[in-house]
Amino acid sequence: MSEATEHLDHAHSHHHPSGIKRWLYTTNHKDIGTLYLWFAFIMFLTGGAMAMVIRAELFQPGLQIVEPNFFNQMTTVHGLIMVFGAVMPAFTGLANWLVPMMIGAPDMALPRMNNWSFWILPFAFLILLSSLFLEGGGPAFGWTFYAPLSTQYSADSTALFVFSVHIMGASSIMGAINVIVTIFNMRAPGMTWMKLPLFVWTWLITAFLLIAVMPVLAGAVTMVLTDKFFGTSFFNAAGGGDPVMFQHIFWFFGHPEVYIMILPAFGIISQIVPTFSRKKLFGYASMVYATASIALLSFIVWAHHMFTTGMPLVGEMFFMFATMLISVPTGVKVFNWVATMWRGSLSFEVPMLFAIAFIVLFTIGGLSGLMLAITPVDFQYHDTYFVVAHFHYVLVTGAVFSIMAAVYYWLPKWTGHMFDVTLAKWHFWCSLISVNVLFFPMHFVGLAGMPRRIPDYALQFADFNKWISIGGFAFGLSQLIFLAVLIKACRKQGVPVDDRVWEGAEGLEWQELPSPAPYHSFETPPVIK
Amino acid sequence: MAAANNALVAKLVCIVLGMFGFGFALVPLYDVFCDLTGINGKTNREAAVYRTQDVDSNRTVRVEFITRVNAGMSWQFEPVSPSVTVHPGELTRVEFKVHNPQAEGVWGQAVPSVSPGTAALYLNKTECFCFEQQHLLAGESLTMPMQFYVDPQLPEDIHFLTLQYTLYKVAGDTAATNLERRF
């Protein structure tokens, strides 16, 4: 290992590419983490702009602003960008920055592959976005690309969609392999498994989920490609295939995928809550086992997305109970966070505000998920705005809020300066209020029967939709405050911070490294107490 | 360290390749699973052999027929009688009428599906037009026979079955026609 680090040092001390080449050629985990995070943020704004188009069209009933086909492209590409372009790369960026610093490693295990896994990503999204400008438009079949919508009723640009998903998948798989190898082989001496910070644990488990299901997604898009262009009949009943099988294959990927987007969030919250409660995390071991059991259960619940496809009763019962079982380990986590705060010396810095909002709002999303798991009522909720409300509570106030919490928590460690706290608090409160105006009424219109993915709606939903759209615009604008905080932070205009930054912070990155963290950290492994 | 990394990367790449293969393996696995459990409503694809059976004359089962023509297919397709009432174990013959109103010959293939899906295993066809493709000349009409029996083992709670046929247009060479349609 020392040979490898010496070689790296050698390369860096004698040849420092500058300008764009520094970022193109970089193999440094901090540089790549930064690239991932900025890319994710740009994609977050891009996907957000599409959400604004959707909400503008839905501001009042009737068709005003966009054609229905373009509306469908917006819902599809919004979903794809937010899942594969914003949330997943943001978590990978955080892993790149934090995993080596948290386990006392000098860098990621496979730095050159790390560079690759980032730099193919912008091309994937260029391909996807460019398809919107082609004749017939981009993908308009929903991010779930159900056959036969994607195989028989789609535009020719479907080929571009397929290739971009292939590239995104390759990027995620390389990132996941890198995380696993780093955690297995590069922990500092004495950093035993049950001493790993929870963010590292949750990312390790997420990485295993990624390498298990991203290849299945690659297979599914390949089958769509050959069905559409090369005359195969995987999903075409006329040729002996089965369109319902598409849903089975897709959700075999899709359900673990939703845990890929939430397990690292659990890790982040488990780092932040103890710091600002000034207590050790309650139930560390149970957190690890709960994460692992959520990951295992995620493989046997996929058909709860398909209750209305005409499954036999036994199947519906199995998937209903298996899904409900997941609320047990998830409940363990929520109770552990609350127990960590119980009788702690709480203080409410910005990361803690986001973390507490996460706990409350993610739990609301979890509860609506439990409602959706109940087969007989799912027949009413299926494909309505209730589902939209559910997954936005777990993904926006869940995953996205945890990413914001993480950025505010570690930003001073990255830059060496405190961010603009006043502006950050404005960002928090504006986001918190607007996100609830945006997503909470969706529960009501969903229960009343408003279907999702349709550009027009019945008159009785008009008032609620107006509020939802106003909440949406406000939430979108609030993220510009975040952009301002980030730009100011990168210009290092704030007060310099000490090494530990936050009073109660524990862990190698706070206690063993200066702020800002040096370009090369832990060239000699730290001593683990 | 480098050796340890390579060994672990090799294992992880194997998992990735294995799972890519598993995605495709799900296709036959899905069919096998559905054949064994009969939950997909798919009936037997080859003629079943009827042996003289105990006809359960105390029990009657109504079998309804639904026909549908897939998008892009112009044939008229309907059952001669919309339903029959049979005793389990009794061999029954029904007929379906097709007509090709087009000015050219077309190949067609009917694909059956039984509801409730769990009953599919008990509806056995000894003769069916759905076992092979049909060709109708321009303006031609045809009466197609289908012969079946319901297995006396059919669960007690099932009193009627629906057998649906969807008629698909068959292209001589599917790939070539797809390209033709597209360009």
Side-chain angles (χ1 to χ4, degrees), chain A residues 177-200:
Chain A
I177 288 177
N178 214 343
V179 168
I180 295 173
V181 177
T182 307
I183 298 173
F184 267 74
N185 290 354
M186 297 189 64
R187 280 168 292 136
M191 179 59 84
T192 53
W193 287 109
M194 291 312 267
K195 276 186 188 166
L196 285 181
L198 260 169
F199 179 74
V200 179

Side-chain angles (χ1 to χ4, degrees), chain A residues 1 109-110 156 173 177 180-181 184-185 211-212 215-216 218-219 223 228 231 234 237-238 242 244-245 248-249 252 312, chain B residues 1 4-5 8-9 12-13 15-16 19-20 22-24 26-27 30 39-40 42 71 111 118 168 174-175 178-179 182:
Chain A
M1 190 189 97
L110 311 159
D156 285 350
I173 289 168
I177 288 177
I180 295 173
V181 177
F184 267 74
N185 290 354
I211 61 167
V216 177
M223 289 184 227
K228 185 165 174 60
F234 287 106
D242 192 330
V244 175
M245 185 176 67
H248 281 289
I249 297 175
F252 184 83
Chain B
M1 176 59 82
N5 284 357
L8 186 53
V9 170
L12 296 171
V13 169
I15 298 181
V16 169
M19 289 309 292
F20 186 70
F22 178 73
F24 285 90
L26 280 173
V27 177
Y30 180 80
I39 56 177
N40 203 16
K42 285 187 181 172
V111 175
T118 42
Y168 292 93
T174 321
N178 274 354
L179 286 173
R182 209 172 314 286

Side-chain angles (χ1 to χ4, degrees), chain A residues 443-456:
Chain A
H443 291 110
F444 305 132
V445 290
L447 289 181
M450 179 169 159
R452 60 190 282 217
R453 291 172 170 163
I454 295 196
D456 189 9

Side-chain angles (χ1 to χ4, degrees), chain A residues 157-352:
Chain A
S157 69
T158 305
L160 294 183
F161 155 81
V162 169
F163 296 142
S164 74
V165 172
H166 277 147
I167 300 173
M168 292 168 204
S171 162
S172 301
I173 289 168
M174 287 197 278
I177 288 177
N178 214 343
V179 168
I180 295 173
V181 177
T182 307
I183 298 173
F184 267 74
N185 290 354
M186 297 189 64
R187 280 168 292 136
M191 179 59 84
T192 53
W193 287 109
M194 291 312 267
K195 276 186 188 166
L196 285 181
L198 260 169
F199 179 74
V200 179
W201 255 118
T202 53
W203 236 109
L204 179 67
I205 293 167
T206 303
F208 274 107
L209 286 181
L210 277 166
I211 61 167
V213 300
M214 290 310 280
V216 177
L217 174 70
V221 290
T222 308
M223 289 184 227
V224 165
L225 182 79
T226 57
D227 262 18
K228 185 165 174 60
F229 295 101
F230 302 107
T232 58
S233 297
F234 287 106
F235 310 127
N236 184 2
D242 192 330
V244 175
M245 185 176 67
F246 173 85
Q247 298 184 28
H248 281 289
I249 297 175
F250 178 80
W251 287 113
F252 184 83
F253 146 80
H255 204 76
E257 167 69 16
V258 306
Y259 292 107
I260 286 166
M261 291 189 285
I262 204 64
L263 293 184
F266 292 164
I268 290 164
I269 303 304
S270 305
Q271 303 293 135
I272 293 176
V273 168
T275 297
F276 299 101
S277 306
R278 291 160 185 81
K279 274 175 67 189
K280 268 193 140 39
L281 181 72
F282 184 89
Y284 171 90
S286 68
M287 285 295 211
V288 174
Y289 296 129
T291 311
S293 34
I294 292 173
L296 291 176
L297 286 172
S298 75
F299 285 102
I300 57 161
V301 298
W302 76 90
H304 66 210
H305 298 268
M306 306 166 50
F307 282 146
T308 58
T309 53
M311 251 190 288
L313 190 63
V314 185
E316 290 183 332
M317 299 275 277
F318 171 79
F319 287 109
M320 173 169 85
F321 288 124
T323 304
M324 290 178 161
L325 198 58
I326 293 187
S327 57
V328 176
T330 314
V332 166
K333 288 183 162 292
V334 173
F335 284 119
N336 279 347
W337 293 321
V338 175
T340 307
M341 287 193 277
W342 174 252
R343 295 192 168 164
S345 310
L346 296 190
S347 58
F348 300 97
E349 284 87 343
V350 181
M352 184 62 162

